[in-house]
Structures are given as C-alpha cells and as structure tokens.
Amino acid sequence: MSVGEVAARGAHDPTTAANELVTSLMFRPWGQVSTSVYETGRLVSLVPWLTGHHERIRHLLATQRPDGSWGAPDGYGLVPTLSATEAILAALQRGDPGTDPRTLREAAGRGLRAVAPWLAARRALPDTPAVEHIVPSLVGLINGRLSGTLPGAEALPLPDGMDHERLEGIRSWIASGAEVPQKLLHALEIAGPAACGAPAIRPTAIGTVGASPAATAAWLGERGTRDPHEPARAHLEAVSRRHGGPVPVGLPITVFERGWVLSWLLRAGVSIDVPPEMVADLRAAIGPAGTPAGAGLPTDADTTSVALYALALLGVPHEPDSLWAFHAGTHFATWPGEDGSSVSVNAHVLDAFGGYAARRPDAAPRYRRAAADVAAWIRDRQEPDGSWADRWHASPYYAAVSCALALDEFGGDVSAGAVRATVDWVLDTQRPDGSWGRWESTAEETAYAMQVLLLTRWRDDRRCVRAASRGLTHLSDHLASSSGAQHPPLWHDKDLYAPTAVVQAAIIASAHLARRL
C-alpha cells in the first residue's frame, strides 16, 4: 500500500492507517522522500548518461514557476533556481539529443531573470545546509556557461557575505587527498572536478556518497560510463528508477524516518504493532557517538534523540549517554562544531533525557541538570508572540510542536508559561477554514498545530477542543480529496523536501487525537 493510500485510510481509521504505514517502512528501508529540484539539476549537469536523464530535464521544465523560479518563497527558491538554471544551460551547451534548444534557452533565460534580483538584494538567506558554498559554486558554473549559451546575458553576482575563497579552499583540500569531514560529503558536488574519484572518499556499502545523489554523481563522474557494475552507479540507477528520473535530496534516511514515524504515533497514543526487527535495528543504530539519519551521513544529536525517545516509548529505553558528544554547554549542537543552533534539536534532546529518566528513575539525577539547562535555553529563544523558529524546518509550527511538547512533558512547571504562550499563538493563527500554514494551508502544519493543542496540559480547554475539531475537518477533507499523496516540501536540506512517511505519521497521529475528543 502506498503512502497516499495509507493517508486516505487515515482519514477514517487512524489506527489501521498507522499500522500499515509502519509496515511500509520495512518494504522501503531507504525511506520515502519527495524529489528535489536542486539534486535533480545536479544529476542533469553531472551525469547526463545516467538512466532517466530526459525525464529529469522534463521534470525541471515542468516545475518551473510562471515567474521563472523554482522552489518556495522567502529566499528558499534561490538554491533550486540556480541548480535548475545551470542544469538547463549545461544541457543546452552540450546539445543533448532529444531536447529543444529554444525551449531550454527560454527556460534558462527566465531562470536568470528570476534569480538575479535575489542575488543582488541585501537580504538574509534561509539557513539551509551548505548554502554558503552551494550558491558560489552554482553562480560560478552559470557564469562560465553564459557566453556559449546565452550571449549577452549578464554575469550573476554573489550575495553579500559570500565569496569563492572558502569554496576554493575546500576544493584544494579535497584534491590534496586529505581526509574529508563526513559532514562535507553530503554536499561533495561543490568541490567540482576535485570530487571526481577523490582518493580519500569511498562510497558506503550501498554505493552512496554522503546519502546524496548529487554528491555520489560528483564522485562518480564520467567513470560511471566505463563500469556498469560500479556500486555508486548502481545506487544512482536504483534511486533514479525508483522516482522515475528525478531524485531526492537525501537517501537513505532509514533511522530518521523510523524514529520520527514511531515517536509521532506513540506519543499520540496510537496503538501500533512495531516489527521486532525494526526495534532491534533502531537500538543497533545507536553507537557510542550516536546515530546518523542514514548510511553516508554523520551522526547527529537530532536523529539520536528521536530514536532514543522512540525506544523509550516502545518500552525498551536505551541509555542516552551518546548525546554528551553533542553537549555545547547550555545546549546541544546538531553535530560537534555546528555553526548556529536548533531549538527543535534541543527539544528532542529534552525528550530523550526525559523519556529515559521516566522509565529509569534511578538514572534521572544523571540528566536532571542538563535537562533543566536545555529547557531554559529553549524558553529563552521563544519569540514574543509565543512561536519558535528553527533551522531544520521552514514552518514555525514544526518548531512549536517540538518545543511545546518537550517543555510541557519534561520542562517542569517553570515552562508552563512558555507552553501556554505557544498554545495561544496556535489558536490565534488558525485560518478561517480550520487549517494552519506559513505560506498556505497544509495538512502537515495543521497536524503540528493540533498536537500543540491536544498533547499539552491545556488539551481540555474549550478553545483548544473547538480549534482542534475544526482542524480535523480540514485534515479529513484534505486526506479524502487528495489521498495525501503530495505534501509541500518544508524540511530543510540543500533545498526543501518532504519526508513523506514522517509527515503522514504526524497527520495520522493528529487525526487520532482529535477523534478522541
């Protein structure tokens, strides 16, 4: 059963839908993720010989917006628009068979006209991974192709605060054969020719580099045309076939997907039958330094925390000592040496400590001080209106549900005011049709808002009950009309993406909660 069919059933029978969703995780162990314009564009540019090349070009042309851009508003379109424009220019410059030069030229021109004002504007860009390297890399590639494809087109500028110097330093480092930090592997394509066959880099057992099709393609290069049995080529072929040509920004995301799906459902009290091998795999994934979201990625505090919390909810708590590797004083970093910080990551750390201590009371003193510090750190970053903003999701409703639920359950009475402020903010921002959303009504954001109302101590407040009931109507209408097959990408990676099964679990959990009113 597809995620869309599970979604449709979730509108009527959340428990059945939840169990079918959990079962689906075993059949698609790499994860269920939306396709990425950024990543698809990189494959068009880097590996035109790969299966699905023409489908990728058609996908780029079909998803271009009327204004010439790709992607979401508020600066989120910069990276995908640069990638798609550069890819189309590459296909035009090569004269790819089966393409229409006029169509490509017009699409590239519209992309350039859309992206030039963004680059020239003095505005902060969204805090997406490696954006400070990706943008200079793509701008350089585009400018290098203009004279041979669009004569007379003006070269693109770099945004304020960005330059090519740091990018060149990374490229020199990789070309030297020195060991490459695992975090960098996910965006290896920024290294340009230095990435191809870089001696210090080896794909994982399943053939991926950095859990990224673009990074894998950059490492493989033209060598893939000479050896059809190369594991990296086989991996790219499999990903391309699975999605019909376009590819996602991150795969596999096995641990991430399972941790979030199980924690959404179990926290909401949905009765699910979890395969024992899934539980065993989740426990085995957590090593002394934590766990990555999937093969090819570095360990991170977020995935580690959510996996630990899911295990606690499953009744098999796992010692959370691996989280100390991410301790940064008053809070926890997503990974050691992180630039910036995340409230949702710290909320999940609070869940992990609190969930373990609740099931192992004798261990509670070991984590009490850190939990109190993290709760205070989260409270200090709440916006005046009661919301939170986060670096791993475009929607404030994701940050709100992460922080409010963790503070309500494990932040003590001192956190009650912060949680109440979030509840009020959620009530105040409900749309007339009963939904919630940053840019538009979405089932995902509606689900998060409903959980803030129904999983905190104010769940019996009449205003919360009424608002959640209106939200359920919107949620049910959405699921029944669209089968839940598409969710707007809101999660941060190199561009925005939707982890389909994770989003569906949140929706099913909220429908379950609301139906118990």
Side-chain angles (χ1 to χ4, degrees), residues 272-493:
I272 52 176
D273 183 16
V274 183
E277 55 268 46
M278 185 182 295
V279 180
D281 287 348
L282 203 57
R283 293 192 69 173
I286 302 172
T291 181
L297 292 169
T299 59
D300 70 86
D302 207 19
T303 308
T304 303
S305 296
V306 176
L308 288 167
Y309 183 59
L311 289 170
L313 292 174
L314 287 164
V316 285
H318 189 292
E319 180 75 44
D321 277 357
S322 58
L323 287 174
W324 294 121
F326 308 96
H327 196 212
T330 57
H331 70 286
F332 286 74
T334 307
W335 48 71
E338 175 187 24
D339 293 329
S341 57
S342 163
V343 292
S344 71
V345 170
N346 282 273
H348 296 147
V349 170
L350 184 57
D351 282 336
F353 285 162
Y356 184 78
R359 289 154 184 83
R360 294 284 189 271
D362 57 316
R366 195 180 315 159
Y367 305 103
R368 187 174 293 129
R369 173 63 183 273
D373 286 346
V374 167
W377 186 89
I378 295 170
R379 292 194 303 269
D380 288 345
R381 277 146 189 82
Q382 189 172 31
E383 301 291 339
D385 63 1
S387 67
W388 276 276
D390 191 56
R391 71 178 315 190
W392 294 116
H393 204 284
S395 172
Y397 295 99
Y398 175 78
V401 72
S402 300
C403 296
L405 267 56
L407 290 176
D408 190 69
E409 190 169 3
F410 303 117
D413 290 340
V414 69
S415 298
V419 178
R420 178 74 235 194
T422 305
V423 169
D424 289 339
W425 171 75
V426 167
L427 291 169
D428 291 342
T429 57
Q430 188 172 29
R431 292 171 177 260
D433 65 356
S435 69
W436 285 267
R438 172 177 175 174
W439 294 307
E440 59 183 349
S441 299
T442 72
E444 178 182 356
E445 292 167 283
T446 298
Y448 298 151
M450 289 169 63
Q451 288 185 38
V452 171
L453 302 180
L454 298 178
L455 281 174
T456 59
R457 65 191 71 186
W458 286 279
R459 62 182 65 87
D460 296 324
D461 183 296
R462 286 186 178 182
R463 291 197 304 156
C464 293
V465 171
R466 285 196 300 268
S469 296
R470 293 176 59 215
L472 177 62
T473 300
H474 174 80
L475 217 55
S476 298
D477 289 346
H478 169 88
L479 292 170
S481 64
S482 68
S483 297
Q486 299 292 328
H487 297 290
L490 294 169
W491 295 66
H492 281 195
D493 203 318

Side-chain angles (χ1 to χ4, degrees), residues 10 40 49 52 84 101 107 131 158 198 233 237 246 416 427 483:
T40 298
W49 47 264
V131 65
L158 283 178
R233 172 173 173 166
E237 296 276 3
L427 291 169
S483 297

Side-chain angles (χ1 to χ4, degrees), residues 125-164:
L125 294 173
D127 184 19
T128 51
V131 65
E132 71 277 16
H133 304 309
I134 288 172
V135 170
S137 172
L138 292 174
V139 167
L141 288 170
I142 288 171
N143 289 342
R145 296 192 189 279
L146 288 180
S147 61
T149 54
L150 298 176
E154 292 187 11
L156 295 175
L158 283 178
D160 282 353
M162 290 190 184
D163 56 51
H164 293 286

Side-chain angles (χ1 to χ4, degrees), residues 93-105:
Q93 190 173 53
R94 289 190 303 255
D96 286 0
T99 61
D100 177 19
R102 179 178 177 181
T103 299
L104 296 180
R105 192 174 292 110

